[in-house]
Amino acid sequence: LIPEFIGRIPVIATLNELTQEDLIKVLKEPKNAIIKQYQALFELDGMDLEFTDEALHEIARMAEEKGVGARGLRGIIENIMLPLQYELPAKNDIEKCIITKEFIEGKEDVTLELIKKTPLKK
């Protein structure tokens, strides 16, 4: 068959929706995964960023509930992380920021681990 002719035939493909496990893999596994991008961004400010497994499941559940799939994950995470991106860099005593399911649900504040200061010896 002639390629020009084949290009004119409409092709319809159906895709299965991603499961929560698939969405979590999209968040964590690719080389340029969203979670890795935010970890690198926070590392520039001298902080470690960690997402609990429950938090990742909650993000995936929200995406599944909204029906946005993998493309909508970035928007969900941006809404969660935006306030932290403005507040945390101003604080110099934070070593680690842990995102929990409760923080995503709005029930608790973000979990922060502070830098342990050792007293100066004279």
Side-chain angles (χ1 to χ4, degrees), residues 38-71:
Y38 274 98
Q39 288 172 335
L41 190 65
F42 273 65
E43 200 169 292
L44 291 174
D45 291 320
M47 286 179 262
D48 292 330
L49 177 65
E50 181 181 311
F51 286 80
T52 64
D53 289 336
E54 293 84 17
L56 294 175
H57 280 283
E58 181 64 18
I59 293 168
R61 187 198 62 76
M62 291 169 68
E64 190 175 57
E65 185 179 282
K66 292 180 181 181
V68 294
R71 290 185 180 258

Side-chain angles (χ1 to χ4, degrees), residues 22 25 31-32 39 77 87 102 107 115 118:
D22 294 333
K25 285 181 184 178
K31 184 175 73 172
N32 63 342
Q39 288 172 335
I77 291 183
E87 294 171 11
E102 291 76 17
K107 295 178 182 176
I115 296 173
T118 56

Side-chain angles (χ1 to χ4, degrees), residues 4 17 23 31 40 51 53 77-78 86 90-93 110 112 115:
E4 291 85 8
E17 284 193 33
L23 292 171
K31 184 175 73 172
F51 286 80
D53 289 336
I77 291 183
E78 283 177 355
Y86 285 104
K91 300 178 181 179
N92 296 328
D93 59 344
V110 68
L112 301 173
I115 296 173

Side-chain angles (χ1 to χ4, degrees), residues 84-99:
L84 298 177
Q85 288 178 282
Y86 285 104
E87 294 171 11
L88 297 184
K91 300 178 181 179
N92 296 328
D93 59 344
I94 298 173
E95 183 176 8
K96 186 182 226 179
C97 175
I98 303 171
I99 307 298

